[in-house]
Amino acid sequence: MTRTRLFRTLAALCAALAVTGAGTPAAAAPRTVLLNPPTVSSTSWNWLRHFSDPPRYDPPVVVTATGGVGSYQYLWQQISSSTISASNPTSASTSFSTFIPAGKTTYRTAVFRCQVIDSAGITAYTPNVTVTFEQEWGD
């Protein structure tokens, strides 16, 4: 076989390999990393005031998000009640607030959840958190 013929054979073989993609590394398939269901430090949060004593209340509820892509955005959403609000509605950690007039027995409750969105736009929700405000006052 002459050099020219050998060169042409090798060139044809290389061209055939390039067309079929043989001998080239396969492109990595995009990997989807799922956003796991976020958890909360507690599914209840309570505020209690007995007569004129200082109020007692639970520590902030903290969301833990895992999986997904990049950083997370948080949005506390009210499921029920309109008189209670999240103190830090766009934070992973929040307490709650409402107006309760002094000297009046009051009981309020609400349900919240936190929407978590990763940087790929995938959304997941925490379990519901029941929020209670209770003020006991004597007559």
Side-chain angles (χ1 to χ4, degrees):
M1 187 178 286
T2 64
R3 282 189 198 174
T4 305
R5 189 170 173 192
L6 178 62
F7 176 75
R8 287 182 184 156
T9 304
L10 287 174
L13 181 59
C14 288
L17 289 174
V19 168
T20 62
T24 60
R31 188 174 152 227
T32 302
V33 180
L34 297 178
L35 177 60
N36 298 318
T39 60
V40 288
S41 58
S42 179
T43 56
S44 65
W45 187 90
N46 299 293
W47 182 98
L48 174 65
R49 185 173 189 185
H50 186 71
F51 297 102
S52 60
D53 294 343
R56 295 183 319 250
Y57 47 91
D58 292 339
V61 177
V62 179
V63 175
T64 301
T66 59
V69 179
S71 60
Y72 306 108
Q73 294 178 3
Y74 303 90
L75 179 61
W76 284 93
Q77 300 174 331
Q78 191 174 54
I79 305 299
S80 69
S81 179
S82 61
T83 60
I84 298 173
S85 59
S87 300
N88 299 306
T90 59
S91 174
S93 174
T94 193
S95 294
F96 302 89
S97 62
T98 190
F99 173 73
I100 296 180
K104 183 171 178 158
T105 297
T106 307
Y107 181 82
R108 293 188 182 151
T109 187
V111 176
F112 284 81
R113 70 178 180 182
C114 188
Q115 177 187 51
V116 178
I117 303 173
D118 72 1
S119 60
I122 304 300
T123 301
Y125 296 93
T126 64
N128 289 347
V129 176
T130 301
V131 177
T132 303
F133 283 84
E134 185 174 0
Q135 178 170 270
E136 299 172 0
W137 212 268
D139 291 336

